[in-house]
Amino acid sequence: MHYQQLGKSDLRVSTLSFGCMSLSPGQSDADQILHYAHEQGINFFDTADLYDKGENERLVGKSLKDRRSQVYIATKVGNQWRPDGSTWDWNPSKNYILEAVEESLKRLQTDYIDLYQLHGGMIEDPIDDTIEAFEQLKQQGKIRHYGISSIRPNVIREYVKRSSITSVMMQYSLLDRRPEEACLDLLHQHSIGVLVRGSLAKGLLINKPATSYLSYQADEVKKAAEAIHSLSQNNRTATAVAFQFAKHHPAVTTAVTGIRTMDQLKACLQAQSGASLTESEYNQLAQSVRPIFYEEHR
């Protein structure tokens, strides 16, 4: 397993990280999967208070409790469930964040969170109040670092200017290169780590039948998948090629990958050890499909 420093933090993170959202409450083999991931070198586990109304945090906390000092746990805040559980509302207020962290700490069975992330964000938010909440939690030792999970360039720019965020989580893949236009270089310049999600584009780049995705038509998706497969050879799988494309930019620290089964975990572990793309290979992939750009929140 390879490791990289996350931004300016002291967290040295495995370049393949475990996205815990896909694990289900009561899943009988969840402990086995999480423990095996850690034993194979994965040390970063990402969840959120939103997932399964907090039950995902509870699952992760229970499973990793006996190895807490050996792993990094990341979770997210900002989506507040309504009392009747019917849906959630966006709430990035300072008061809510200070309340929500206490519940996350209880569910995770820990007294600190390694990376606490705002689970979204809009330009109309009370951004300074949100930052104050995270800074206060850092001072109290309840979180070690904070970041945001956002694909909105205008929001990301504000947090770069006004906060000391460690990271930004964003979707990025051969079929979603929007972060290249305004975000990746900016974050790299400010030593802010990027946590990539969606690097397999819901499986469309590796094994799912081509269908429309974002503003791509099915025939374009098929071309992208064919380009990925054209570079898979010997021990380098299509999954490995897709991962390496997403991790090619120096701003990217790790690929946070949703894993539900042991087979998926083993396939991802095999893929992460694949050879990095050469510049020629990267360009070949980049030229296989037109880039798209953010239409809103610019």
Side-chain angles (χ1 to χ4, degrees):
M1 182 66 65
H2 302 291
Y3 300 86
Q4 290 195 141
Q5 214 73 20
L6 181 61
K8 297 176 183 176
S9 78
D10 56 352
L11 308 184
R12 192 158 178 79
V13 173
S14 52
T15 55
L16 171 64
S17 298
F18 199 121
C20 300
M21 181 178 69
S22 300
L23 296 174
S24 303
Q27 184 173 329
S28 60
D29 60 350
D31 284 353
Q32 181 185 6
I33 293 170
L34 287 167
H35 292 173
Y36 186 76
H38 176 237
E39 289 156 7
Q40 296 302 307
I42 293 177
N43 69 353
F44 187 89
F45 296 83
D46 177 78
T47 181
D49 60 3
L50 178 68
Y51 305 156
D52 298 309
K53 299 178 181 177
E55 290 304 308
N56 195 264
E57 284 185 327
R58 203 180 307 278
L59 180 157
V60 172
K62 179 176 178 291
S63 183
L64 298 178
K65 184 179 180 180
D66 66 344
R67 54 194 76 198
R68 180 65 185 93
S69 63
Q70 303 166 42
V71 299
Y72 301 131
I73 293 178
T75 192
K76 310 182 195 76
V77 65
N79 295 294
Q80 182 177 20
W81 281 101
R82 293 181 180 175
D84 63 4
S86 60
T87 187
W88 62 84
D89 298 303
W90 178 239
N91 188 351
S93 70
K94 179 178 179 179
N95 287 342
Y96 176 65
I97 292 171
L98 297 180
E99 292 172 4
V101 73
E102 301 297 340
E103 298 305 314
S104 286
L105 288 168
K106 289 176 187 175
R107 288 189 292 262
L108 291 165
Q109 299 187 50
T110 184
D111 55 7
Y112 68 95
I113 293 164
D114 295 290
L115 180 67
Y116 203 33
Q117 301 160 97
L118 186 67
H119 202 173
M122 296 182 288
I123 200 66
E124 298 83 9
D125 289 345
I127 292 175
D128 289 331
D129 287 346
T130 302
I131 294 168
E132 277 186 22
F134 285 124
E135 290 290 347
Q136 181 174 323
L137 291 174
K138 274 184 70 176
Q139 291 170 8
Q140 294 172 342
K142 293 177 181 179
I143 67 173
R144 295 177 65 188
H145 306 281
Y146 67 94
I148 61 172
S149 176
S150 178
I151 60 172
R152 297 178 171 182
N154 59 352
V155 172
I156 291 169
R157 281 194 294 268
E158 290 305 308
Y159 276 88
V160 170
K161 284 191 290 188
R162 295 154 71 172
S163 78
S164 58
I165 54 171
T166 288
S167 63
V168 175
M169 179 179 285
M170 60 176 63
Q171 181 168 294
Y172 180 56
S173 73
L174 178 58
L175 283 172
D176 188 358
R177 293 168 55 201
R178 292 176 296 177
E180 293 178 359
E181 181 188 10
C183 297
L184 292 183
D185 286 345
L186 173 68
L187 295 171
H188 183 54
Q189 289 165 9
H190 288 83
S191 298
I192 296 168
V194 174
L195 311 173
V196 166
R197 60 177 178 83
S199 53
L200 304 181
K202 296 183 177 179
L204 291 170
L205 288 171
I206 56 171
N207 57 15
K208 294 248 182 101
T211 186
S212 58
Y213 182 76
L214 299 177
S215 61
Y216 291 115
Q217 299 301 312
D219 62 324
E220 294 176 294
V221 172
K222 183 179 179 182
K223 286 180 182 177
E226 287 173 346
I228 291 284
H229 282 272
S230 73
L231 294 180
S232 61
Q233 53 191 325
N234 301 323
N235 292 326
R236 188 162 74 174
T237 64
T239 301
V241 176
F243 278 163
Q244 292 301 333
F245 181 88
K247 294 190 287 186
H248 187 75
H249 194 284
V252 176
T253 303
T254 186
V256 181
T257 306
I259 296 169
R260 182 176 53 85
T261 68
M262 185 65 79
D263 285 344
Q264 289 175 346
L265 173 58
K266 289 180 177 178
C268 289
L269 287 166
Q270 178 188 359
Q272 69 84 30
S273 62
S276 300
L277 299 177
T278 65
E279 285 301 315
S280 175
E281 290 173 329
Y282 174 83
N283 290 332
Q284 180 180 331
L285 292 175
Q287 292 166 12
S288 68
V289 62
R290 63 184 171 87
I292 58 175
F293 305 100
Y294 290 117
E295 298 178 0
E296 300 177 314
H297 315 294
R298 297 178 60 86

